[in-house]
Amino acid sequence: MHTTTEFVIAGFGGQGVLLTGQVLAYAALEAGKHVTWIPSYGPEMRGGTANCTVVISTEPIGAPLVRNPAVVIALNQPSFDKYEPIVRVGGVLAVNASLTTRAPVRTDIRVLAPHATEMAERAGSPKVAGIVLLGAAVAATGVLELGDIELALDKHLPAKHRDLLPVNIAALWAGAVLVAEPEI
Amino acid sequence: MPTELIKGNTAIAEAALRAGLDAYFGYPITPQTELLEHLARRMPELGRVFLQAESEIGAIHMVYGAACAGARTMTSSSSPGVSLMAEGLSYIAASDVPMVLVDVMRGGPGLGNIAPAQMDYFQIVKGGGHGGYHPIVLAPATVQEAIDLTYAAFDLAEHYRTIVVILTDGCLAQMMEPAELPPMRERGSPISKAWALSGAKGRERRVFTSVHMSPEEGEAFVNKCARQWDVITANERRCVSEQIDDAEWLLVGFGTAGRVAQSAMRAARAAGLKVGVWRPISLSPYPTPELKALAPQLRGCLVVEMNTGQMVEDVRLAFDGRVPVSFFGRSGGVVPLPEEVLEAVHRMIETAKEVVC
């Protein structure tokens, strides 16, 4: 039986939304899965919200966009408001509680709402909040091993951010560890 | 197993380069600009021609000149830019010289928007410029297919001395997928170009013209092109299908819409419905015989497009009334979702039941 998992990663331009999605996509490639990565590329990207959709599957992927993604990583309040209602029932919503002002309302999905910016700072840089949430979301779904993401970070982190590799890996695990705990 | 994720635009550019592209002329326009950017960097590295023209009109006429001189040449643009190229495309067709055009369709008409669409099927498949010529039109659905078709496009164009269009959209162009690039080919066409303008010293001069002043000459040229098109139609039809052995219901879509149809087909199968999917890759020549051959087993067909209904006319022509054909489309830059296509499948089946009762 084939399994397909769709991720939407959304936030402000500059929060590393597209790069976080690419890290996930490369990790899927490392794991031998089929994968698509598609960004929103509209004028909305300039200073506004940015998002990308990553589909990971054990079979060749049809549609690269879906109505109800299995996983949403929301890095800011507008993305949280926009995507919370459309997460598939039984899916996962990882939201940065550092940058959002309300509690989630859905009870039919798994919500992970860590203070990701503070956690990222503790890991070494507030810029890697997206990787904290990625670690949490991937650990919650089990769609990939965290080692695949470490490998993807190692191979594909842009040269200018190369010095942040250990910080990214620390952030990844900080997010993943949250999932093992009963209450967040 | 592919080891790289490649963006559609970059993949097409690199595949063209590896196919021995000598000269690229173009003008930036979203959502195809990364294609031009990639070649702007790579072509000069390899000592080849990259030229950003003053406009799309300039670019297509530079392609015309390079093609007459026997170069492997191409341009790329997106819908409104391709409209500007219409005159040059027709002159190229009338001059019997080969070229490759990549059209990354976006929402229209007019300036429209930069989101993915398939609203230029009629424009490209049925013409482009005036005069009723036929380009070969190939529509990839994955980044790998975009690479493979682009790599093959130059040989096709030169073998038949025709225009080959890679017709895609902003979705595939912006998407990254695992894909493998082909090996770098030797520069220079494997196909003889004894017709090209290569300097007339010691031989009779050659002339390219799109002017045929006498109607009889004009008709003779057009008839020659029509006979050539018969050969292309016989040899160059391409399509793929999935789950059609026992299918009673058929989903049809090209490019991105074909992928969405594939997802909808899987969802329908999971619900126990005997749905298959058929995807034309060559939109011109259309794989009409291949589609027609499916008619006896089908109770209905649903065509999915990112427009308000264009290719559906070719599907109806192929079935010639033997199969009820319905349509689902999103347009203006909206990409259809598999869920809404599945809903349209259910409507098709319900409607068929009502007709039977």
Side-chain angles (χ1 to χ4, degrees):
Chain A
M1 188 63 198
H2 288 291
T3 57
T4 300
T5 310
E6 312 87 3
F7 287 73
V8 168
I9 301 161
F12 290 125
Q15 284 187 307
V17 167
L18 301 185
L19 181 60
T20 303
Q22 284 186 7
V23 167
L24 176 62
Y26 276 114
L29 181 67
E30 294 295 339
K33 303 276 178 76
H34 295 274
V35 61
T36 58
W37 171 94
I38 186 166
S40 61
Y41 64 91
E44 64 182 353
M45 280 175 73
R46 298 183 189 119
T49 57
N51 72 72
C52 62
T53 303
V54 177
V55 182
I56 299 172
S57 183
T58 53
E59 67 180 332
I61 294 163
L65 297 166
V66 291
R67 181 183 285 169
N68 301 113
V71 184
V72 168
I73 296 174
L75 290 164
N76 64 6
Q77 186 71 43
S79 303
F80 179 33
D81 294 340
K82 180 176 175 184
Y83 290 105
E84 185 186 6
I86 65 165
V87 178
R88 184 183 307 153
V89 173
V92 173
L93 172 65
V95 57
N96 186 354
S98 310
L99 299 178
T100 50
T101 54
R102 64 170 178 83
V105 295
R106 292 277 299 270
T107 54
D108 56 353
I109 58 175
R110 182 165 186 192
V111 178
L112 308 164
H115 284 81
T117 303
E118 285 81 354
M119 290 170 66
E121 278 168 4
R122 282 198 293 278
S125 168
K127 290 178 186 168
V128 297
I131 299 293
V132 172
L133 295 180
L134 181 65
V138 166
T141 59
V143 66
L144 295 172
E145 303 288 333
L146 290 166
D148 297 325
I149 298 178
E150 284 188 346
L151 203 55
L153 282 165
D154 188 30
K155 283 191 182 175
H156 300 287
L157 207 60
K160 61 178 176 177
H161 297 313
R162 188 75 201 163
D163 55 322
L164 289 177
L165 178 62
V167 175
N168 274 277
I169 289 174
L172 180 73
W173 282 97
V177 163
L178 290 172
V179 176
E181 295 170 4
E183 292 296 327
I184 297 168
Chain B
M1 192 72 194
T3 55
E4 284 183 273
L5 288 178
I6 315 177
K7 191 176 234 198
N9 274 330
T10 314
I12 291 171
E14 185 64 26
L17 185 127
R18 293 185 183 207
L21 178 65
D22 292 310
Y24 173 93
F25 308 92
Y27 190 79
I29 181 171
T30 307
Q32 69 81 50
T33 296
E34 295 90 349
L35 199 168
L36 174 137
E37 277 176 346
H38 186 79
L39 291 175
R41 186 170 62 252
R42 292 279 282 143
M43 292 293 274
E45 273 176 11
L46 297 169
R48 305 185 193 178
V49 175
F50 171 90
L51 204 155
Q52 182 173 320
E54 74 278 16
S55 71
E56 287 86 346
I57 299 172
I60 192 69
H61 288 91
M62 291 174 189
V63 166
Y64 187 8
C68 289
R72 283 217 146 172
T73 186
M74 73 178 282
T75 186
S76 60
S77 191
S78 176
S79 308
V82 172
S83 289
L84 284 169
M85 293 180 178
E87 182 198 39
L89 287 166
S90 179
Y91 280 48
I92 288 167
S95 302
D96 250 355
V97 291
M99 68 159 289
V100 173
L101 164 69
V102 179
D103 183 358
V104 180
M105 289 182 284
R106 62 187 231 178
L111 201 55
N113 59 49
I114 61 175
Q118 298 181 326
M119 303 174 77
D120 308 330
Y121 178 90
F122 282 154
Q123 180 194 16
I124 298 302
V125 170
K126 308 295 180 182
H130 62 281
Y133 66 88
H134 293 281
I136 293 175
V137 181
L138 304 173
T142 65
V143 172
Q144 187 64 59
E145 210 170 76
I147 290 170
D148 297 344
L149 293 175
T150 304
Y151 200 62
F154 292 90
D155 283 354
L156 270 180
E158 291 172 5
H159 179 72
Y160 293 110
R161 287 176 64 174
T162 188
I163 298 169
V164 176
V165 184
I166 304 293
L167 188 66
T168 183
D169 63 68
C171 186
L172 188 61
Q174 295 295 325
M175 188 159 82
M176 289 175 87
E177 278 189 300
E180 270 180 302
L181 286 160
M184 182 75 81
R185 276 168 53 164
E186 291 292 317
R187 210 175 143 190
S189 173
I191 292 154
S192 161
K193 289 186 180 170
W195 45 264
L197 304 184
S198 55
K201 199 173 180 182
R203 64 159 169 80
E204 208 161 310
R205 76 190 185 115
R206 296 168 183 157
V207 177
F208 285 101
T209 179
S210 70
V211 181
H212 302 285
M213 283 300 284
S214 101
E216 288 73 20
E217 268 179 43
E219 186 181 48
F221 174 76
V222 169
N223 284 343
K224 182 185 75 113
C225 293
R227 285 193 299 275
Q228 174 78 326
W229 185 245
D230 289 340
V231 175
I232 293 172
T233 302
N235 294 345
E236 302 301 340
R237 300 189 309 269
R238 298 168 188 231
C239 58
V240 288
S241 57
E242 194 176 327
Q243 298 276 2
I244 52 172
D245 288 352
D246 66 340
E248 296 175 355
W249 312 95
L250 189 68
L251 281 166
V252 176
F254 72 94
T256 296
R259 298 180 67 129
V260 177
Q262 183 190 36
S263 287
M265 176 276 288
R266 288 175 185 156
R269 283 272 166 183
L273 301 170
K274 289 186 175 172
V275 176
V277 67
W278 182 83
R279 178 168 64 81
I281 294 172
S282 62
L283 302 179
S284 169
Y286 203 75
T288 303
E290 289 76 8
L291 184 56
K292 188 178 172 183
L294 299 176
Q297 73 186 71
L298 296 176
R299 296 168 67 190
C301 171
L302 175 70
V303 178
V304 184
E305 296 181 69
M306 285 147 63
N307 56 46
T308 53
Q310 298 188 21
M311 186 185 73
V312 63
E313 294 189 3
D314 289 321
V315 173
R316 289 197 169 114
L317 277 172
F319 285 140
D320 198 17
R322 291 180 187 90
V323 177
V325 176
S326 50
F327 176 77
F328 179 81
R330 299 297 304 264
S331 58
V334 178
V335 180
L337 298 170
E339 293 88 346
E340 56 192 6
V341 174
L342 182 62
E343 288 157 13
V345 169
H346 285 299
R347 283 197 297 277
M348 164 175 71
I349 294 171
E350 284 308 307
T351 307
K353 279 181 189 160
E354 283 163 20
V355 171
V356 172
C357 299

